Every structure is written in C-alpha cells, then in structure tokens.
Amino acid sequence: MIADRIRVLALGLVLTLVALACGQKPGVHEQLADTSTAGNQTTGTVDGTTPTDTGPATGATGDTGAGTTPTDTGGSAPSAGGNVPAAPADAGPQDRTGVTGNSITIGIHAPVTGAAPFPAQAFALGREVYWKWTGAPKIHGRSVKVLFEDDQYSPVTARDRCRKMAEQQKAFLLIGGGGTDQIQACAQYAASGGIPYLSPGVTQIGVDNLPNYFAISMTYAQQGELLWQLISKDARLKGLANKVAMVRTDTPNFDDAHDAFLSAANKRGKSLVLDRTLPKNPSQTDYQTLAGQLDGADAQIVHILTAPTHYVLLTARLAGDYRPWWIGGGITHGLNAVLETGCTTSNGAMDKALFFSPFPGLDKIDSVDPNYRKAYREVNGGAEPDDIGIVLWGLAKTLHQMFQNTGPSLSRQNFIAKTQTGSFQSKVFPPQKYSPQNHLGGTQVHLLKANCAAGQYRTEKMFVSGF
C-alpha cells in the first residue's frame, strides 16, 4: 500500500517537473503532494466526535496576530536556549480546557500538502496508533483523543488551524509536526492563550523565550556543531571539508541555523565555497541556476535546509555525474517517502545523503521499540507501517510521559510547570531534559544514510551526542 502510494507520488512529481519546464507558473510544485482529495483534511477526533467544552480556554481569544506571519525577533538564538519567562504558577485558576474525567484532547498540525511528497493518508494512519492499540496506556484514567489539521506549509494557515483546534474543538495542547515557519506561528499563537505547545526542534528564533513551548529534539542551530563534527571526523567526508556549501530557504527563521553552521566552520578555520538561499516559491530557473552554481563551485558536501519538495526538485536538476554528499539536520528530509520520490526523479542523486533525525529508520525500530509494528498493523487493519508513523509514535510516547509526570490534576498551568523541570525518554526520540530557563530539550540525534537501491534510509548511528 505504501509503495503504491509513493509510486503515484513519484509519477506526480515527474509530471509536475514536465509542467514546470513547459512554463507553468512558479509555485505549482507546492501542490505535488496533493494527489488525493480524500484524507488531506483529516480534522476530527479519534472517535469522530468533537469533545465537549469543559470550560473557557483561558486567554484563547487574546491573539493579537491573526492572519500574520510572526516577525523575526532578530539575531541568532543561543544554542543552549534563551531566557524563558516564568511559567504560569501552579496556583489560582487552573485551565483544564480539553480535559474531562475520562479523556484528554490534543491537536496536531503538519504540512501534509505543500512541503513534501508525503503519502496522503500517512498522517491519518499514524496519528492515533499509540493511543488506540490494545496496549494503549491510560493517563491517570484518561484516554487521549487526537485532532489533526493539514497546515498546507503556510504560517497563516497553520495559525488559523491551531486556533480552530484550540478554540473551537478545545484541544488541551498543540503539537507541530514539521515546518519551521508554521511551528513558530502556532507556538506564538498558543503562547497568547497559555496553551502548551510541543514540536521537534526547528528554529529557536521567536520560540526559545516562550514559557509554553517545548522542543522535543535538537534545534537546527544546536545541530550546526554536530554537523561539522560529522564532516571533520567521518572518514567519508573529512577529506572534503574545504568544499562545503549551504543552501537554505529564504526565511529569517533559518538565520540561527545558518549562523550556527558558519560559526562551527569558522572555529575550524573553514569557509563555505557557496552560501545560497532559495525563494520560498522557487521557479524552475531558480533550481537550474542553483544546481549549476553548486557544480561550478565544486561543492562536494551540501548542507541543505529547505522544504523536502525543494530538495527533491533541486536534485533533479543536477547535471551529468555531479553527485555531492547532501547533509543536514531536522525532521522531514530523512523520511522514506521523500527519498524514494527523490531517488527516482534525480537518477540517484540523493544516494548516500546523511541526515540527522529525531527518530530511527524502519530498519532499527524493532530493536528500539518492538511494539510499534504490531500496534500499527493492529490499528490499521494489517497495513505495513512507515516512518511517518514512527515520528507520530515517538511524539505520543513522549507526550505520555509528560502527562504522567504532570499527575492526575491536569491543567495547562500544571503541565507547563512540571514539564519545564522534567526529563523524558521515549526510547524512540533521544532524551529530553528541560529547565525553567531552557525549554529546548533535545540532547542527541540519530544518523540516517540514504540508500536509493532499497528506497529507504538506513540507520547508521542512534542516540548520538557527538562525533
């Protein structure tokens, strides 16, 4: 089933490339993942009902930035986290929106369309697995209901969908699955209402000082030093350390990652042979030009920090036998759906790419957590699991521990106060450790290597804190 969906996606991408080459307007490629009208807007709870409102969402209507993209707060955030204001005190009125005697409602948003060639049903199949299998845990007697929204890789849409889940559908907390600008937009909206917000680590700009925000993996800026350790010490890469380039999407929310990568290079006496940005909606000419610039600069290692769609379309424009090592941190580039589509359209140009990831690949998940495959098959009628499901499984396991740590008296204030002094280990995601001054809890990464022949990433190292 998964393979069939990805083959359809690969064909769709080829057709998109042809259309773009024939003069179709820039930005059309953003829709390449939307191969089905069913399943992309998968809003609703696990049981298909909207939870009963158990009280007003404190401060939820206090959003002052509706419909706008958050402004860059400037500068690069410190790698260890900024100064986080005091969390809401565990005293006085307690906001228990989304919590009943037997359930907790949470909301997740992610770019199902617009950012990557994801199978249309991947999030629908994976988002409820942990909470619905026969071994599903109770949280002090409560089950978990899951809302889901496609944010379409748009900060404005993401903010709107988060508001919908929090204010109309009464989600207790919100989780961002990916997309830097979207995560920042929703985290800032959530802060206006004191709503807890979790995401894998992306930008630190505009979020590292929010008392409600918790990064559950290393941020891009935190990974800059690790990437240079990999370049400097890995036998396959260290001879190429003078031929490193960086490509990133043109958003101020990548400035901290860019500055951290450059700082780590400068510390080693290195400089980049090419440092380029791509527009958020590149044209085919943009891809062609950049591919030629990378080749012309003889960049043998390229740190890429873009939407997966842009990575796929850029690699498809490489000429001849030019095949650099692609490296990077983050979340979505290390997904098999991106790899299989990209390997097909780029004639193997993604092969051997190395990406840090907050989750291991399918090849190692059984040794990390043998419950995942059987739970996925049980909940989804025997369907074969994918690695998008691993992301959602790891998120759910982490959240389970956070809920347990908060205790039976569950309120938004209690959750934030208890989480910011906690340490958590899902055994899927690397450990998280927080303090009142630092809500960027990631400490380690997994290292994945692309294998185009297999159509999957192979997990080379797990739970790595240095090279």
Side-chain angles (χ1 to χ4, degrees):
M1 294 173 61
I2 297 296
D4 289 343
R5 286 198 295 272
I6 293 177
R7 277 191 287 273
V8 171
L9 285 161
L11 176 60
L13 181 54
V14 171
L15 293 174
T16 301
L17 288 166
V18 171
L20 284 166
C22 292
Q24 204 165 24
K25 65 181 182 179
V28 173
H29 66 271
E30 297 291 353
Q31 303 303 318
L32 70 90
D34 191 9
T35 58
S36 170
T37 57
N40 287 337
Q41 301 293 333
T42 51
T43 304
T45 63
V46 168
D47 61 1
T49 62
T50 301
T52 302
D53 181 7
T54 58
T58 302
T61 58
D63 175 23
T64 59
T68 62
T69 302
T71 303
D72 177 18
T73 57
S76 61
S79 62
N83 294 318
V84 179
D90 187 8
Q94 295 291 287
D95 184 354
R96 294 183 172 85
T97 299
V99 179
T100 71
N102 56 21
S103 70
I104 307 165
T105 299
I106 66 172
I108 303 174
H109 69 96
V112 176
T113 54
F118 294 143
Q121 292 294 327
F123 285 94
L125 291 173
R127 73 180 191 266
E128 58 193 15
V129 168
Y130 183 76
W131 307 111
K132 288 190 70 176
W133 66 299
T134 54
K138 292 284 188 178
I139 312 298
H140 299 290
R142 300 180 177 102
S143 60
V144 174
K145 298 182 177 182
V146 182
L147 310 171
F148 184 84
E149 288 284 346
D150 175 10
D151 62 37
Q152 300 176 2
Y153 195 57
S154 160
V156 174
T157 302
R159 197 177 182 93
D160 180 66
R161 300 291 162 81
C162 284
R163 182 184 291 109
K164 174 184 176 182
M165 290 188 288
E167 297 181 22
Q168 297 178 26
Q169 298 174 297
K170 308 304 179 185
F172 173 78
L173 58 72
L174 298 169
I175 300 173
T180 297
D181 292 351
Q182 295 73 252
I183 284 173
Q184 188 204 60
C186 279
Q188 292 187 348
Y189 158 72
S192 72
I195 303 165
Y197 186 93
L198 282 66
S199 81
V202 285
T203 190
Q204 296 175 193
I205 296 171
V207 297
D208 71 338
N209 63 343
L210 299 179
N212 66 310
Y213 174 76
F214 296 93
I216 60 175
S217 64
M218 293 184 76
T219 66
Y220 297 147
Q222 289 173 326
Q223 293 175 59
E225 169 61 24
L226 273 185
L227 284 168
W228 268 101
Q229 289 181 21
L230 178 69
I231 292 168
S232 302
K233 296 182 180 180
D234 189 291
R236 299 164 295 186
L237 303 180
K238 64 182 181 180
L240 306 174
N242 292 318
K243 297 183 176 182
V244 179
M246 184 172 184
V247 172
R248 71 191 193 279
T249 299
D250 188 10
T251 169
N253 291 323
F254 284 163
D255 286 351
D256 59 337
H258 172 259
D259 293 349
F261 190 68
L262 285 185
S263 176
N266 292 337
K267 186 171 75 173
R268 292 164 172 83
K270 304 297 183 183
S271 59
L272 303 183
V273 297
L274 197 70
D275 187 359
R276 291 289 184 270
T277 58
L278 269 174
K280 288 207 73 173
N281 291 292
S283 67
Q284 197 66 6
T285 300
D286 292 324
Y287 294 120
Q288 187 71 56
T289 299
L290 180 54
Q293 289 174 338
L294 289 169
D295 193 355
D298 193 28
Q300 294 301 306
I301 299 174
V302 183
H303 175 204
I304 186 159
L305 186 56
T306 67
T309 297
H310 301 163
Y311 173 43
V312 168
L313 291 166
L314 175 60
T315 57
R317 306 305 297 178
L318 297 182
D321 59 357
Y322 173 58
R323 294 291 184 266
W325 286 85
W326 301 95
I327 66 168
I331 310 158
T332 49
H333 283 41
L335 290 168
N336 289 334
V338 176
L339 178 66
E340 188 163 342
T341 302
C343 285
T344 300
T345 59
S346 69
N347 192 28
M350 284 186 178
D351 201 33
K352 75 185 182 181
L354 296 167
F355 287 106
F356 294 156
S357 171
F359 53 91
L362 280 169
D363 62 323
K364 294 294 185 182
I365 189 60
D366 290 344
S367 64
V368 171
D369 191 337
N371 287 322
Y372 169 67
R373 283 185 195 271
K374 61 184 181 182
Y376 191 99
R377 289 166 177 158
E378 175 193 309
V379 171
N380 292 308
E384 282 302 303
D386 61 10
D387 52 357
I388 292 175
I390 295 176
V391 182
L392 296 166
W393 179 266
L395 281 168
K397 290 192 73 176
T398 301
L399 184 56
H400 173 206
Q401 292 187 359
M402 291 176 172
F403 280 144
Q404 288 292 106
N405 180 65
T406 302
S409 180
L410 183 60
S411 68
R412 286 169 169 169
Q413 291 90 339
N414 286 352
F415 181 90
I416 292 171
K418 295 292 181 65
T419 300
Q420 72 172 0
T421 58
S423 297
F424 308 96
Q425 170 56 285
S426 69
K427 298 183 179 179
V428 176
F429 279 45
Q432 302 93 34
K433 184 176 183 179
Y434 303 102
S435 73
Q437 293 75 38
N438 179 20
H439 289 189
L440 308 178
T443 59
Q444 298 173 336
V445 297
H446 303 293
L447 177 63
L448 308 181
K449 181 178 183 291
N451 186 321
C452 281
Q456 288 191 352
Y457 279 95
R458 301 303 192 198
T459 310
E460 288 206 330
K461 295 181 183 294
M462 294 191 292
F463 305 106
V464 177
S465 56
F467 292 91

